[in-house]
Structures are given as C-alpha cells and as structure tokens.
Amino acid sequence: MSDFTSGFWNIYIGIITIVSIIACAVLLKALSTRKVSGAQVETTGHAWDEDLVELNNPLPRWWIWLFYITIVFGLVYLALYPGLGSFSGSYGWTSKKQYEEEVAKAEALSAPIYDKYAKTDLKQLASDPEAMAIGQKLFLNNCAQCHSSDARGGKGYPNLTDNDWIYGGAPETIEETIANGRKGMMPAWGALLGDDGVKDMAHYVMSLNGGTYDSLRAARGKDKFMTTCIACHGPEGKGNQAIGAEDLTKPNLLHGADEPSLIETISKGRTSVMPPQKEALGEARVHILAAYVWGLSNSPAATAPPAKTGGQ
Ligand code: HEC
Ligand code: HEC
C-alpha cells in the first residue's frame, strides 16, 4: 500500500528511478567504448612535483562489468520487490508480512512455555522462580517505562511493591487491572471551589494524610469535603477501589501530597490511564505478570510449599 495521497508521486518517482538507471547504463557504455589510441596515453594535464602526471586511462573491463552487474541487479530487484513508486513487486514482499511471519514463528516457540503457566494458580505461580524470572523480563520490557524497573513507580505512576492498592491487591484484581487497563478520573474543582476553597481543601487533605496543615483552612475544607468529595473518596477519605478514587489518608499520594501538588490536583483534576495489555501481550503473559506483580508485595515464600527439613 502506498502512503501517497495522489497517484502523481508514484509515477514521478518511478520515472525518475528508471531514467536514472538508463542514464547510468548509457554513461557507462559511452565510457567503455572509448578507445585508447596507440601507445600514447592521455594525461589529465595535472603535474605534481615537476614530473608526476596523472594518466587518463579508460576504466578496466572488469570494473565496467561490475557496474553493469549492479544495474542488472537493480532492475531485477525493482521487478521483484517494492521500490518503484507504488508498484509492489512481483514477489509480493512487505515488511509487515515479514514481521508477522517472524512474530508467528516466535509465538510458536514460546507458546508451550506460557501454556504451562496459564493454568497455574496465581499465588502458586508467584512462588515459581522460573516463572518469576520470565515475569520480570516481561515487566522490564512492557511496564518499566511507566512503573520504573524496580516497580516502585514515580509521580503519577503507582508503586507496585508496597501492597497499597488503588484498585485492589487480590491476585485476580491485579490480573484484571493488567488485562483490561484502568482509567482513574478525578474531576476538576477549581471553578466550583475557587482559589481559596481549593487551598482549604488541600489543607484538609494534608490533615488526613499526616502533613503539616493550617487547622482553620482544614476545618473549612472539611465542611466542603463532606458535600463535594465523599461520593467518591468516602466520609473518611479512604477512597473507593471500584473507581480508583485514592485513599487520601495515606502519606504517599500518587500525584504528590505537598500543598502545590494538591492544589493542582484539586483545582485541575487528574486522569491516570493504565493501558490494557490483553491484546498486545495475550492472556498467558498477563497471567504471569499478574503473579509477578502480586509477588512483589506478597513474599512468594509465604505461599510456597513448606521447605523440606531434616537431613542436618
Ligand atoms: C503508559 C504507562 C503505563 C504502562 C506502560 C503500564 N502502566 Fe500500569 N499503571 C499506569 C498508571 C498511570 C496507573 C494508575 C492508574 C490509575 O490510577 O487509575 C497504573 C496502574 C497499574 C496497576 C494498579 C495499581 C493499583 O494500585 O491498583 C497495576 C497492577 C499495574 N499498573 C501494572 C502494570 C503492568 C504489569 C504493566 C506492564 C504490562 C503496566 N502496568 C504498564 C501506567 C502504566
Ligand atoms: C467523581 C468521583 C470523585 C470526586 C467527586 C472527587 N474525586 Fe478525587 N479522585 C477521584 C479519582 C478517580 C481519583 C484518581 C485519579 C487518578 O487516578 O489520577 C482522585 C484523585 C484525587 C486526589 C489525588 C490522590 C493521589 O493519590 O494523588 C486527590 C488529592 C483528590 N482526589 C481529592 C479530591 C477532593 C478534595 C475532592 C472534593 C473536592 C475530590 N477528590 C472529589 C475521584 C473523585
């Protein structure tokens, strides 16, 4: 398929390519038929160090033939592979097809490995060192760009190692999060509360999560919290995992717990997106990743079969 929006460019590029190749051939022919007259070889007329001159011999035959071969190669290539405007080549090769074939080959090789784990219970899987090594690799390739390579996240990207969950930490819930993604939407309150009202609210949130706060502002904020915010964050500010409204009583808030961050969060709102992985990675990999993530905060040893004792 061509990316050009008009048919003109296809033809334009095709013609330029063909004309250039023909021009090369003609030039080559003209040069190779030039005869050297007698034993007297022309010089270029340049002289260095008094008597050092540059001869102007025609190119050697074998050299000329190499050029002809490249021209033939070019023409054959253009007939077989895409290269001339939108002409797709008689061989039907596309980079997409090649990529898909390679992916299918790799899938066929790895499928039995993943199938082995797909039916294993998540907690049991988390105590299988081999599966967790695969899980870590998958995590580094697909998740580390947002959650960081040690899974501790950063501002706006949750820490996955602390057993403190926005959407819930049951193994099945984690699998659901990874497979289908999540989207947390906190509306903007700036227009409703005004600058001062937002600041009061920020101080109330700081009073909930152990920050230093102005008690007068916090008291004013609390009144409004009870009417404006409890629908999602609950009367005690402990949040709601079903919609991903964070627990505001914990010290490490996702978007920051200092006054400027809270003012920004409350006045402008926040939207956080965890992209769904089921399509891209397939259920088997998601299963391993869920076990890996669950294992990060729940010592796999806790669920491993009791270690054999004796023999000492
Ligand atoms: C584009 C960035 C991005 C990528 C890539 C990404 N995540 Fe996330 N993830 C997020 C964000 C942002 C959230 C928080 C969503 C929210 O608060 O609504 C999140 C949330 C989560 C949660 C829920 C945490 C909780 O406390 O409930 C889990 C589990 C998770 N991600 C695992 C993964 C895994 C495993 C991968 C790799 C397959 C991954 N994520 C890839 C951005 C990303
Ligand atoms: C419609 C439901 C809803 C209402 C009402 C709501 N919030 Fe939120 N809030 C959310 C969601 C969902 C998130 C998570 C956003 C994200 O994942 O980035 C959130 C996030 C936050 C955060 C950031 C938490 C963090 O970890 O960084 C703060 C602070 C907050 N809300 C305060 C408030 C305050 C104060 C009010 C009342 C003025 C309020 N919210 C009203 C749904 C709501």
Side-chain angles (χ1 to χ4, degrees):
M1 214 192 73
S2 152
D3 293 332
F4 295 126
T5 47
S6 94
F8 168 75
W9 295 107
N10 291 326
I11 297 167
Y12 179 77
I13 287 176
I15 290 176
I16 287 193
T17 312
I18 295 285
V19 167
S20 311
I21 294 177
I22 293 171
C24 284
V26 169
L27 184 68
L28 210 52
K29 179 85 183 136
L31 286 176
S32 60
T33 46
R34 199 162 58 87
K35 289 273 177 320
V36 186
S37 51
Q40 196 56 43
V41 179
E42 269 180 61
T43 74
T44 56
H46 301 144
W48 293 271
D49 292 342
E50 294 174 5
D51 59 350
L52 195 58
V53 291
E54 190 181 0
L55 300 183
N56 191 14
N57 276 321
L59 293 169
R61 290 258 140 219
W62 63 269
W63 185 267
I64 300 236
W65 277 110
L66 274 186
F67 278 124
Y68 278 124
I69 289 169
T70 55
I71 287 173
V72 171
F73 177 86
L75 289 172
V76 170
Y77 182 92
L78 288 174
L80 294 179
Y81 289 94
L84 275 183
S86 63
F87 175 58
S88 57
S90 56
Y91 193 49
W93 180 91
T94 66
S95 55
K96 185 163 176 273
K97 211 154 75 183
Q98 180 174 356
Y99 170 76
E100 279 165 0
E101 276 167 19
E102 281 167 14
V103 168
K105 222 190 270 170
E107 283 292 330
L109 275 179
S110 59
I113 306 174
Y114 291 121
D115 282 351
K116 191 171 78 178
Y117 297 128
K119 292 180 188 69
T120 313
D121 172 70
L122 284 163
K123 291 187 182 179
Q124 208 180 327
L125 201 56
S127 58
D128 179 335
E130 202 185 319
M132 289 305 93
I134 297 176
Q136 186 183 35
K137 258 193 217 122
L138 288 171
F139 190 89
L140 289 175
N141 284 334
N142 300 289
C143 323
Q145 69 268 42
C146 290
H147 292 284
S148 103
S149 50
D150 60 3
R152 290 179 191 281
K155 205 168 179 184
Y157 299 103
N159 182 341
L160 303 178
T161 66
D162 59 2
N163 214 352
D164 176 7
W165 301 96
I166 305 170
Y167 292 95
E172 297 72 26
T173 314
I174 296 175
E175 186 162 20
E176 161 87 23
T177 297
I178 301 171
N180 299 327
R182 301 280 189 186
K183 189 168 182 185
M185 273 175 44
M186 154 82 175
W189 299 101
L192 186 83
L193 299 174
D195 285 352
D196 221 36
V198 166
K199 202 164 175 183
D200 291 346
M201 200 61 90
H203 280 262
Y204 178 60
V205 173
M206 289 191 284
S207 79
L208 290 176
N209 63 29
T212 40
Y213 60 97
D214 176 330
S215 46
L216 199 66
R217 281 194 178 278
R220 282 203 301 258
K222 183 176 182 179
D223 287 344
K224 286 197 194 126
F225 190 90
M226 291 308 158
T227 53
T228 320
C229 319
I230 56 170
C232 298
H233 292 282
E236 288 160 12
K238 290 209 167 282
N240 179 351
Q241 291 190 336
I243 58 166
E246 272 109 358
D247 179 350
L248 303 177
T249 65
K250 58 183 194 195
N252 301 322
L253 289 183
L254 189 60
H255 302 286
D258 53 300
E259 191 191 46
S261 302
L262 283 171
I263 288 179
E264 168 128 6
T265 300
I266 297 167
S267 63
K268 298 192 180 142
R270 299 274 188 190
T271 301
S272 297
V273 178
M274 161 68 204
Q277 306 291 325
K278 198 163 64 183
E279 286 287 305
L281 298 180
E283 284 178 20
R285 285 184 183 80
V286 167
H287 193 71
I288 296 177
L289 277 165
Y292 176 73
V293 170
W294 181 82
L296 290 173
S297 51
N298 299 271
S299 162
T303 54
K308 284 200 181 80
T309 49
Q312 283 172 0

